[in-house]
């Protein structure tokens, strides 16, 4: 919601008049988080606060007393000011007394209400309440609990939840998975209707599950059970929440309101779209697609841009859809296809009261292109990218299929070998360590087990992190970019792992790294967990350039810039054998005698 300058000035006046923020929020109807955001954004704490009546009267009395020629009129004026001050003090005491009485009464009423709820089996915040208490919740109790912790841009999304189809293009890390989990369970409690979550992997769908259970436990004291299915008793019947991965065979036979997470990073999206349409084909069901952007070549882009609809529109003589600019989309827009589209950039989130970001710091850490894609909803230009988005998305797989990898165990991969790659941080990027499991037989798959990102971490601590990895895993190979800022880490690692491979970056080395990665990706021999959307995004940043020495590859990596950290660290790990291939041997062709 956008507020006028008049409303903001009114809040400013109240704040500088020393009125507490909760009181201002209650009087104006403006969220506390929005007010705190304005205080920080406009430096209201640096402004002089307005004086109260008592302070003003004190100053007038002192000024009169300091007068050299004190007349009878002046003395009478001082007496009147003193009387006014005493009246103000008494009025303030009466206000405080009334406020305390009100607080005691509210506390008493709240305690009585809580006792009644406990006796009647209704809701409360006690631990381990019966699941049946959820069915006794009133609409106002549910909505109050839901809206209590939301920023304004999240409240705006709730206002749009009635649309049959929503497309939300979002900035990174603005809490939309968290929000939509709460929106869905709130809708389930209000209506008793089923909610379905489709994510790129089971691990990712489990995040929805966790957010929902946390919300219900925190607000209503009820423990929900279940992994792929959670049953929620409501006043209008039992609602079933289903948590699915994008494997279409597991999504057949479901119906309900559908949420599709990070749709621009899902492989075979057109196939998924058919499944989604089947799930929410009945008119009462709604579909919500939300994601950070990838590239315009992704299959989901035709849905976002309206080109899928335009094919139908041209055939039926309907008005075609033309996307408006981002300014219009940030307010929410309904096209001729009746579907709702909205963009939420980091700037929209900040304007909506979000206090989770330091914008100046992020703009230092990311190059303009990276920042625009990650936080301003700009699609990646992959026309010069070395890697294909479709090939990269095909590398995503289910971690649950890796029965030999237990990430929380003291030895996550037992005694099986792993290869480690390290990419150092520069001024604008992060240091990244990747742990890759090599294939156990020729032609097998390389598996990315972990990608560890370190922000603002001293190089000595980064080296310690690599040392801890050698203690948890059977590390067979470590490869480090020792160019520039990576040199300190390389020297430190060499002390406890003498066989570490140091890469001194030049066009030839970069070409070898890229060619090796292309080989395993094109041959579908590199896999990672489907929830790691930052990995394909990182590979897409690598572009081919022509130099005076021939073809090379870059990602604006110089002394001031650097990105694609995850991609380079994975390529370092893969580089154990250089360009030597370990593809499975081709079957021997045996000719019969009549052809020999």
């Amino acid at each position: 919601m956008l507020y006028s300058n008049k409303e903001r000035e009114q809040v400013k006046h109240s704040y500088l008049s020393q009125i507490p923020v909760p009181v201002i929020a209650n009087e104006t109807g403006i969220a506390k988080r929005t007010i705190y955001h304005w205080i920080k954004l406009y430096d209201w704490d640096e402004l002089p606060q307005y004086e109260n009546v008592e302070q003003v009267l004190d100053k007038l009395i002192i000024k009169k007393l300091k007068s050299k020629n004190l007349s009878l009129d002046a003395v009478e004026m001082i007496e009147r000011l003193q009387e006014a001050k005493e009246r103000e003090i008494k009025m303030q005491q009466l206000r405080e007394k009334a406020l305390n009485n009100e607080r005691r009464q509210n506390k008493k009423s709240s305690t009585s209400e809580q006792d009644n709820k406990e006796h009647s089996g209704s809701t409360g915040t006690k631990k381990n309440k019966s699941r049946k208490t959820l069915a006794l919740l009133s609409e106002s109790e549910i909505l109050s609990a839901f809206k209590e912790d939301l920023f304004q841009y999240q409240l705006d999304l709730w206002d749009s939840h009635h649309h049959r189809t929503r497309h939300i293009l979002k900035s990174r890390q603005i809490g939309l998975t968290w929000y939509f989990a709460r929106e869905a369970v709130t809708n389930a409690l209000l209506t008793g209707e089923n909610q379905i979550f489709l994510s790129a992997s089971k691990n990712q769908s489990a995040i929805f599950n966790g957010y929902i259970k946390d919300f219900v436990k925190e607000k209503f004291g009820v423990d929900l059970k279940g992994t792929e299915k959670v049953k929620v008793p409501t006043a209008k019947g039992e609602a079933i929440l289903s948590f699915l991965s994008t494997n279409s065979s597991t999504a057949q036979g479901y119906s309900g309101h559908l949420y599709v997470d990070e749709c621009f990073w899902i492989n075979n999206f057109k196939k998924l779209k058919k499944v989604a349409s089947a799930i929410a084909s009945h008119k009462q069901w709604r579909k919500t697609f939300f994601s950070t952007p990838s590239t315009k070549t992704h299959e989901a882009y035709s849905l976002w841009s309206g080109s899928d609809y335009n094919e139908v529109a041209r055939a039926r003589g309907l008005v075609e859809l033309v996307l408006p600019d981002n300014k219009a989309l940030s307010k929410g827009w309904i096209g001729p296809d009746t579907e709702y589209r909205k963009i939420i950039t980091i700037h929209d989130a900040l304007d909506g009261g979000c206090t989770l970001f330091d914008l100046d710091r992020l703009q230092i850490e990311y190059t303009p292109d990276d920042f625009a894609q990650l936080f301003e909803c700009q699609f990646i230009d992959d026309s010069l990218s070395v890697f294909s988005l479709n090939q990269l998305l095909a590398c995503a797989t289910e971690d649950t299929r890796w029965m030999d990898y237990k990430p929380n165990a003291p030895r996550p991969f037992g005694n099986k070998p792993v290869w480690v790659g390290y990419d150092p941080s520069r001024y604008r990027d992060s240091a990244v360590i990747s742990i890759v499991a090599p294939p156990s037989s020729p032609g097998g798959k390389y598996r990315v087990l972990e990608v560890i990102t370190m922000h603002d971490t001293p190089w000595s601590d980064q080296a310690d992190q690599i040392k801890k990895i050698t203690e948890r895993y059977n590390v067979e190979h470590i490869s480090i970019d020792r160019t520039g800022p990576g040199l300190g880490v390389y020297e430190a690692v060499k002390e406890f792992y003498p066989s570490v491979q140091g890469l001194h970056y030049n066009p030839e080395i970069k070409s070898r790294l890229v060619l090796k990665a292309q080989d395993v990706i094109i041959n579908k021999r590199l896999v990672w967990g489907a929830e790691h959307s930052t990995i394909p995004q990182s590979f897409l940043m690598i572009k081919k350039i022509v130099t005076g020495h021939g073809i090379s590859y870059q990602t604006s990596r110089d002394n001031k810039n650097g990105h694609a950290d995850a991609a380079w660290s994975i390529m370092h790990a893969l580089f154990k054998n250089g360009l030597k291939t370990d593809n499975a041997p081709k079957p021997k062709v045996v000719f019969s005698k009549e052809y020999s």
Side-chain angles (χ1 to χ4, degrees), residues 506-575:
N506 57 47
E508 181 183 350
I509 286 293
K510 287 196 284 186
S511 295
R512 285 173 172 268
L513 289 168
V514 169
L515 290 172
K516 177 69 175 183
Q518 284 179 325
D519 177 62
V520 295
I521 289 172
I522 291 171
N523 287 294
K524 300 181 180 180
R525 297 187 54 219
L526 180 63
V527 292
W528 51 71
E531 69 274 12
H532 291 302
S533 62
T534 55
I535 295 179
Q537 177 180 293
S538 186
F539 275 100
L540 285 174
M541 295 293 181
I542 300 171
K543 303 186 188 307
K544 183 185 292 187
I545 61 169
V546 179
T547 70
H549 301 285
I551 299 296
S552 185
Y553 304 91
Q554 72 169 20
T555 52
S556 301
R557 301 172 63 83
D558 53 38
N559 290 334
K560 293 185 178 180
N561 301 296
H563 45 256
D565 331 287
W568 289 109
S569 66
I570 292 170
M571 287 190 282
H572 295 164
L574 293 173
F575 203 58

Side-chain angles (χ1 to χ4, degrees), residues 380-488:
I380 299 171
D381 178 7
D382 62 343
S383 59
L384 298 176
S385 179
V386 173
F387 298 93
S388 158
L389 177 63
N390 289 336
Q391 290 173 348
L392 293 168
L393 295 181
C395 295
T397 187
E398 288 283 5
D399 284 350
T400 52
R401 298 176 185 173
W402 302 355
M403 303 306 293
D404 55 347
Y405 174 57
K406 298 175 176 59
N408 297 321
R411 297 282 292 181
F413 206 50
N415 201 41
K416 293 183 178 181
V418 299
W419 299 350
V420 175
Y422 165 83
D423 184 67
S425 62
R426 288 161 174 79
Y427 289 96
R428 293 194 181 197
D429 58 356
S430 309
V432 176
I433 304 170
S434 291
I435 303 172
V436 177
S440 56
S441 60
K445 295 184 183 295
Y446 294 88
R447 294 179 287 170
V448 181
L449 302 182
E450 286 191 52
V451 176
I452 302 167
T453 302
M454 296 168 288
H455 296 283
D456 298 324
T457 306
W459 64 264
S460 56
D461 291 346
Q462 296 175 31
D464 287 341
Q465 181 68 50
I466 296 174
K467 186 174 183 180
K468 291 175 183 176
I469 290 171
T470 63
E471 295 165 354
R472 296 175 62 229
Y473 290 90
N474 175 20
V475 177
E476 190 177 72
H477 163 70
I478 299 177
S479 184
I480 289 177
D481 171 11
R482 60 186 293 265
T483 311
L487 183 59

Side-chain angles (χ1 to χ4, degrees), residues 54 73 112 145 174 176 296 304 348 369 400 461 479 542 588:
E54 187 180 343
D73 289 341
S112 176
I174 60 170
L176 284 207
K296 292 183 179 182
W304 163 259
D348 297 324
D369 286 346
T400 52
D461 291 346
S479 184
I542 300 171
K588 185 181 294 184

